[in-house]
Structures are given as C-alpha cells and as structure tokens.
C-alpha cells in the first residue's frame, strides 16, 4: 500500500514541476495554473469570491530568502459562534506541491489569523481561501518573487536542527492571558522539515522528505486550531495565531510528521 | 561524408571559440602580489549576474619552491581557466593543491579547470556534503542567472577533507589549513602562510561587501574571537581589498554581526515578529556597506530563525 502512495506523490511533484515550468514561460503574474488546474483540484465546482471583507494576505513582493518567506493571513472579523471562519487553505500556485497548509479554526480561536514562514520555489501567487461557517469560500492572494525555496539548501546547521527535533515552545504577549478575548500566541516547533527536493546529484543520494504534516492546538481539550501542512512550511515551523480562553487552563500542541513521529507540548495559561 | 565534415567543422569552431574566449578573459584577470609569492585577484562588489558571470570573489594562489596552491578557483568555469592560464605565465612550478575556502559558487566554479593527475583538492570535511546538497539548486541558478551550464562534474569535491588542521608543504613554505565550526557557512576553511604570515580567510572576512550569514551568526562571532588571536601580519578577505591590516580588518564585520546579534536578541525578547525585525533592525548601517539592501534583511531572517532557539 505504501508504494502507490509514494509514487503518486512523486507524480504530483513532477506534475507540479511541469506546471511551474509552464508558468515560468508565461509573462507576468500569471494565473494559468490556478485557473486551469488547481482551483478545480482543490475546490471542485465551487464558487470562490475574491472579496476584501473576509481576509487579507501579506507577503513580501520580493522574498529575501526563498526558504524563509514570512506570510501573514489576517481575518477581517472576530470568530463568534454565529459567524466564523472554519478553514483557511493556503495554495502556492507554482510550487512543486501547491498545497501548502490548511488551518481549521473554531469560535474558540478568537480570531482566524495565522502567520508562518514558507518556501517559495518560483515567481508565484500565494492564495488563502477561507471557508466561512455559511459554507462560502473567500479568497485573498498576493504575488511573490522568489525562486528555489523548496530545493534550497537545508539549513546549514542540520545537525543542530536534528538534535533538537520535536522541541516546542509557546510564546505569549506578556505573562497573563486576557479572558474572553483573542490572545496572540506563537508556537515554535523544531523540525528540519526536509522537502525531499534537495537531491544530491554527486553521490546520487536523496535527502528523504521529512516534514511536519499535522499540528493540533487545543485549550483544555477543545480545538483551537488544527493544521495540515506540507513541504512549503519552512524549517522549524513557526505558527502565530490566536486563542480565546474563558478560564485558566492548559494550551496543548500535538505534532505529527510524515515518518510517523509525534511530539507534544503544553503550557499553563493563567489570567 | 558531409556529416563527418560538418561535425569536424563544429569541433574546430568550438575549439576556436574556446581559445579566443580564454585569451579574452586571461587578459582581464588581474593579479597583485601582496607578499612574496602570494597572488590575489580582486573581486567586485556586485551580485552574481550574466555580465560578471559570478566572478565576484577574491581568488588567487601561493607559490612555493616545488608546488603551487590555488586558493579558490573562481566564480565560473571560465574564470578557472583564466586563473590557470595566469598561473602558467607566472611560474612553471606545478599546481599541487586547489583549496576551496567554502561551498559558495564564486569560490568553487573554476575547480574543473584544475582537475588533473597530481592535483589534490583540499576542503572542509563538510564541503562534499554541502556541494552535493546544493548542486541541483546551484546548477539551476547558474543556468538562469549566470548564463552558463554546469554539469555535476564541475563540483569537484575535496580528496583531502580537513577536519581540524592540515599542513601543506609547498617547498620552502608551509600552509596551515584550518577547518572551522559553522560560521559564514558550515564548511569554512582558512589558510595561514607561515612564510609571509599572511592569513587567507575566504568569506570568514567581508570588507566593503556586507557580510552574508549562511551558517550561524553566533558561530561566526565566536570564530572571530578565536581568529583575532592569530599572529598574522596581514589578511586576504573573501570580498574586499586584496590585502588588509590584521586584526584591524575584522572590525567592520564584527561590529555588523554583533549589532545584528544584540538587536535580534532584543527583538525576540520583546516579542517582536520576524517581519518587524527584518524591517526595523540595523537600517542605520546601510551607508557602511555595499549590497546592503541585497543581503541585510536576509541576514536578519536567517539569524532570527537561529537565535529564537538559542536558549534551548
């Protein structure tokens, strides 16, 4: 059963590379890959509205380091039981694996904002598609000039990165949480997040892909944010998001990677 | 018959192109003898591009009584040939060693020109791995940005990997080669010529060209502390003048890196984001450095990602 999965993944990567190279040939801020393939692949037969009322995406137009591009998605309204963003999917059109991450939110998230660091392999659009609780899809997009982020050399201190793999840290603004309000929190996960694309043509060895696939954040057992991630997430995944505690309790992160490793960390939250 | 003839013509043409081209560059490759038998070609403070073909670093060679050691082979296969040709004009002593100070393209792309029986390639023990991991990415970049094609053969790995130190006897003079822990990259080498007390630092030392952090900011600063104690008379930086006074030459780089470290630590402590750090830190240092806008923010990003784990 494992072999077909791997080979279909390789096929996807090859298809992605072909699409990316086609896109490169086209001039300017091309959206062919999205319009002809990706939209239908990820959101078959669904209407997607490009509006300004739901979310905003911030990314540098010219990336300084293609393997470490800061990306911020900001929602335009707070999460309430009546009106909230259920999911945000991030697609990077011309990456070898366009699906980059998917974030499930709940009313307990407080605010459906997310900031992370990503790899960009080509000049490409990055798009965030939000699904609101009424089932509608809303999109925001940005164009980023970068190249080679997925095949870029693995962080040079790979040994240090491997030694602390699975370590996690929560960071808050200040010592105390404000009850009933969205509180910003940062989750740092130490993981080399190897893309599998750093192919070694000299010794013919391939650095096998090894990356975080799932991050579940919960507060007192209730989901705050559930994330599916792929190789576009930079080494040492870093997630900034919100949670809205209604009492003192424990914020917990559970992480899985593609090799089946699991890590968890928790942090006491006091008002 | 026609096919054979046209094939032959193509070869003649190719050979002619190669020869005329080689001569053209050989004339351009200027060298300065900065100490007895120590020759340096000065690079330029530019981003690698099709015009300069990535030939931007300081490269050169040291002549002993029996052997010549090349230090960094150039930023393109062409520059490698040009350097080799210039060496031939200066001396008939054989080239025994090609030392690569680290993996960056501007220091290794001339390697293949020197590959021959009797020539040993010297590099950090992590250089082979670094070359292997970077080759696909570098080849694509060479094609798209430098305008030439590289084959895997252009990445000639060291046959003498250095883990700590290595002494190379050139006849009448000894080069002490030192492998450093992660600093500018994870595969930095320095060379000390005992005869003239010249220290060749490769990109462990940037002057004029803003330092580029591709390894570890903390590691680099702690190496600078150790380097300072080396009793050298003069130093050859990887980017900057062909020679500079030692250890004064370290000052600019050290100030830059220290300020990055101090301010990034403060930003992390204050709960600032990587985006804020990239926009706010060290902008007042812009007038001090060339290519500041091309590398400074990237340095912050790289260092920020390193320093946010430093307490662990």
């Amino acid at each position: 059963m494992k072999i077909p999965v791997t080979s279909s993944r390789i096929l996807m990567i090859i298809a992605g590379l072909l699409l990316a190279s086609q896109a490169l040939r086209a001039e300017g801020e091309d959206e062919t890959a999205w319009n002809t393939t990706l939209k239908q692949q990820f959101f078959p037969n669904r209407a997607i509205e490009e509006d300004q009322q739901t979310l905003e995406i911030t990314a540098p137009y010219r990336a300084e380091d293609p393997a470490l591009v800061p990306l911020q998605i900001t929602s335009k309204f707070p999460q309430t039981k009546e009106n909230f963003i259920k999911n945000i999917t991030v697609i990077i059109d011309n990456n070898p694996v366009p699906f980059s991450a998917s974030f499930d939110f709940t009313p307990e998230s407080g605010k459906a904002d997310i900031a992370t660091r990503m790899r960009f392999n080509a000049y490409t659009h990055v798009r965030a598609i939000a699904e609101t609780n009424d089932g509608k899809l809303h999109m925001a997009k940005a164009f980023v000039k970068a190249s080679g982020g997925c095949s870029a050399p693995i962080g040079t201190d790979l040994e240090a990165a491997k030694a602390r793999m699975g370590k996690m840290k929560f960071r808050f603004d200040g010592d105390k949480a404000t009850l009933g309000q969205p509180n910003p929190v940062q989750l740092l996960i130490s993981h080399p997040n190897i893309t599998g694309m750093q192919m070694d043509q000299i010794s013919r060895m391939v650095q096998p892909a090894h990356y975080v696939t799932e991050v579940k954040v919960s507060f007192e057992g209730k989901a705050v944010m559930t994330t599916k991630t792929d190789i576009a997430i930079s080494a040492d995944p870093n997630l900034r998001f919100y949670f809205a505690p209604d009492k003192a309790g424990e914020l917990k992160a559970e992480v899985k990677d593609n090799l089946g490793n699991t890590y968890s960390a928790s942090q006491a939250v006091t008002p | 018959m026609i096919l054979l003839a046209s094939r032959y013509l193509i070869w003649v043409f190719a050979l002619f192109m190669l020869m005329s081209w080689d001569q053209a560059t050989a004339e351009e490759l200027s060298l300065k003898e900065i100490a007895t038998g120590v020759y340096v070609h000065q690079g330029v403070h530019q981003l690698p591009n099709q015009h300069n073909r990535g030939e931007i670093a300081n490269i050169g060679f040291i002549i002993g009584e029996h052997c010549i050691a090349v230090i960094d082979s150039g930023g393109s296969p062409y520059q490698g040939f040009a350097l080799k040709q210039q060496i031939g004009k200066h001396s008939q002593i054989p080239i025994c060693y090609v030392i690569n100070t680290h993996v960056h393209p501007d220091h290794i792309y001339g390697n293949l020109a020197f590959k021959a029986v009797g020539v040993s390639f010297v590099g950090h023990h992590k250089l082979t791995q670094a070359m292997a991991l970077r080759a696909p990415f570098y080849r694509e970049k060479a094609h798209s940005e430098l305008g030439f094609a590289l084959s895997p053969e252009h990445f000639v790995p060291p046959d003498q990997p250095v883990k700590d130190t290595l002494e190379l006897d050139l006849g009448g003079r000894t080069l002490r080669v030192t492998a450093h822990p992660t600093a500018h990259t994870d595969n930095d080498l320095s060379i000390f010529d005992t005869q003239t007390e010249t220290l060749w630092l490769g990109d462990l030392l940037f002057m004029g060209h803003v330092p580029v952090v591709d390894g570890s900011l903390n590691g680099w600063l702690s190496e600078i502390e150790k380097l300072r104690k080396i009793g050298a008379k003069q130093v050859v930086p990887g980017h900057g003048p062909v020679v500079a006074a030692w250890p004064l030459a370290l000052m600019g780089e050290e100030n830059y890196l220290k300020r990055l470290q101090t301010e990034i630590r403060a930003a992390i402590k204050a709960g600032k984001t990587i985006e804020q750090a990239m926009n706010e830190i060290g902008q007042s240092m812009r007038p001090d450095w060339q290519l500041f806008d091309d590398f400074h923010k990237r340095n912050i990003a790289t260092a920020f990602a390193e320093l946010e784990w430093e307490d662990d």
Side-chain angles (χ1 to χ4, degrees):
Chain A
M1 275 312 278
K2 269 186 182 166
I3 293 157
V5 173
T6 317
S7 55
S8 75
R9 188 173 174 86
I10 289 170
L11 276 176
M12 263 180 63
I13 290 181
I14 291 170
L17 282 172
L18 284 174
L19 275 173
S21 64
Q22 270 175 349
L24 265 184
R25 260 177 252 129
E27 285 292 314
E29 302 183 2
D30 174 77
E31 298 203 54
T32 316
W34 171 254
N35 289 324
T36 59
T37 316
L38 298 171
K39 184 173 177 290
Q40 185 61 20
Q41 183 186 340
F42 292 104
F43 304 98
N45 306 316
R46 294 185 67 182
I48 301 178
E49 208 177 323
E50 275 190 57
D51 60 51
Q52 313 293 315
Q53 285 82 49
T54 311
L55 75 168
E56 192 179 287
I57 188 164
T58 314
Y61 181 65
R62 181 180 160 276
E64 307 295 339
D65 179 350
L68 195 75
V69 181
L71 184 79
Q72 283 173 277
I73 297 160
T74 317
S75 60
K76 296 286 182 78
F77 49 84
Q79 298 279 95
T80 60
K81 287 205 162 51
E82 297 74 36
N83 190 20
F84 65 95
I85 292 172
K86 286 201 304 192
N87 171 274
I88 294 176
T89 298
V90 180
I91 306 282
I92 301 177
D93 291 7
N94 298 333
N95 263 6
V97 181
F99 172 81
S100 304
S102 152
F103 306 91
D104 287 339
F105 295 101
T106 65
E108 280 73 32
S109 311
K111 204 167 180 309
D113 286 15
I114 183 80
T116 187
R117 304 164 190 170
M118 293 206 166
R119 298 181 167 114
F120 283 72
N121 214 47
Y123 286 22
T124 178
H125 276 97
V126 50
R127 46 191 92 237
I129 299 98
E131 181 171 9
T132 39
N133 60 326
D134 57 8
K136 286 189 177 156
L137 297 175
H138 312 263
M139 179 166 78
K141 67 185 184 202
F143 191 77
V144 174
K145 286 185 166 186
S147 69
C150 296
S151 57
I154 299 167
T156 45
D157 234 341
L158 187 60
E159 282 160 32
K162 280 188 170 166
R164 55 160 204 256
M165 184 160 64
K167 262 203 155 187
M168 282 188 260
K169 296 199 262 199
F170 283 105
R171 284 221 174 110
F172 301 97
D173 269 7
D175 302 334
K176 310 259 177 235
T178 315
L179 295 187
Q181 291 289 319
N183 286 253
V185 56
Q186 185 177 176
L187 174 63
L188 291 81
I189 303 163
S190 187
H191 197 290
N193 248 36
I194 298 168
T195 64
M197 289 190 62
Q198 290 94 349
M199 263 178 284
D200 169 345
Q201 300 186 343
I202 292 169
S203 59
R204 306 280 170 201
M205 281 166 23
V206 177
Q207 283 285 318
H210 188 192
Y211 58 95
V212 170
T213 52
E214 194 179 291
V215 182
K216 277 186 182 171
V217 181
S218 57
F219 180 68
E220 285 296 294
K222 273 185 151 180
V224 170
M225 184 182 72
T226 305
T227 303
K228 291 202 172 359
T229 49
D230 212 291
I231 60 170
I233 301 287
S234 301
D236 292 333
N238 184 298
L239 300 167
R240 303 200 313 261
F241 52 95
Y242 284 87
F243 78 117
D246 50 1
K247 58 185 174 200
E250 191 187 58
L251 191 65
K252 189 173 183 191
E254 294 160 278
V255 171
K256 271 189 201 163
D257 70 23
N258 67 321
L259 301 183
N261 298 315
T262 56
Y263 312 99
S264 75
S266 43
Q267 175 87 36
V269 174
T270 47
Chain B
M1 196 57 195
I2 292 168
L3 196 70
L4 267 179
S6 65
R7 236 184 223 177
Y8 172 74
L9 274 175
I10 287 170
W11 277 108
V12 169
F13 181 70
L15 200 65
F16 174 77
M17 289 294 287
L18 203 66
M19 281 163 58
S20 59
W21 181 88
D22 254 354
Q23 268 163 7
T25 10
E27 278 159 18
E28 285 164 27
L29 192 86
S30 58
L31 285 163
K32 200 159 183 192
E33 188 173 7
I34 58 139
T36 312
V38 181
Y39 292 83
V40 186
H41 166 74
Q42 186 171 15
V44 287
H45 294 333
Q46 292 171 6
L47 288 180
N49 58 36
Q50 303 214 353
H51 180 70
N52 60 36
R53 291 185 304 208
E55 299 162 359
I56 56 167
N58 291 347
I59 59 172
F61 56 95
I62 298 177
I63 304 178
E65 283 165 20
H66 314 305
C67 273
I68 290 176
V70 173
I71 304 180
D72 287 339
S73 58
S76 72
Y78 317 119
Q79 200 182 22
F81 281 111
L83 178 63
K84 191 179 175 188
Q85 203 168 52
Q86 284 295 84
I87 294 172
K89 283 184 192 168
H90 277 85
S91 171
Q92 290 311 304
I93 294 169
I95 296 167
C96 306
Y97 304 104
V98 174
I99 306 169
N100 289 130
T101 57
H102 63 294
V103 72
H104 284 155
D106 46 334
H107 300 261
I108 65 166
Y109 279 1
N111 276 11
L112 192 57
F114 296 95
K115 199 173 175 182
V117 175
V119 180
S120 172
F121 286 79
V122 178
H124 193 285
H125 72 104
K126 287 186 179 170
L127 179 62
T128 304
Q129 174 187 278
M131 278 181 174
L133 286 175
R134 289 166 187 247
F137 179 62
Y138 279 2
R139 287 181 64 200
E140 201 185 303
K141 286 244 167 198
H143 181 70
S144 64
E145 290 174 14
L146 305 179
F148 53 77
L150 287 176
S151 67
E153 286 68 37
H154 281 100
F155 296 82
V156 183
D159 52 74
Q160 285 203 63
V162 185
K163 210 157 186 178
D164 302 302
T165 57
L166 174 74
E167 303 229 313
L168 299 177
D169 181 8
L170 303 187
R173 76 198 302 164
T174 302
L175 301 186
R176 197 170 70 232
V177 181
T178 305
H180 297 271
T182 306
H184 167 62
T185 66
D186 73 345
N187 52 85
D188 301 315
L189 271 193
S190 66
I191 299 101
F192 183 69
D193 170 42
T194 47
Q195 185 185 313
T196 62
E197 297 182 314
T198 301
L199 179 62
W200 199 306
L201 279 185
D203 286 4
L204 284 169
L205 179 59
F206 281 81
M207 298 178 76
H209 180 312
V210 70
V212 179
V213 184
D214 192 19
S216 158
L217 176 66
N218 286 351
W220 199 347
L221 277 165
S222 62
E223 278 314 288
I224 286 175
E225 279 310 307
K226 289 187 232 158
L227 287 170
R228 193 195 317 284
K229 292 174 192 137
I230 296 175
K233 275 194 181 137
Q234 55 197 351
V235 65
V236 181
H239 297 268
V242 287
V243 67
W246 182 257
L248 191 68
L250 276 172
M251 203 165 75
E253 171 177 286
E254 189 182 15
N255 286 344
Y256 174 82
L257 296 175
K258 267 202 172 148
R259 199 158 147 203
L260 275 194
Q261 188 189 48
T262 307
E263 295 191 17
I264 293 171
R265 277 177 178 163
I268 291 170
K269 210 171 170 201
K272 289 198 175 174
T273 64
I274 194 169
E275 295 93 328
Q276 288 170 323
M278 287 169 75
N279 287 325
E280 292 167 11
I281 285 174
Q283 285 297 322
S284 65
M285 296 191 285
R286 174 182 281 108
D288 306 341
W289 297 102
Q290 293 187 55
L291 303 178
F292 188 85
D293 291 338
D294 298 293
F295 294 105
H296 178 65
K297 284 189 175 181
R298 193 189 168 118
N299 284 340
I300 296 172
T302 306
F304 193 99
E306 175 192 348
L307 296 186
E308 64 191 356
W309 288 99
E310 72 176 331
D311 300 327
D312 298 86

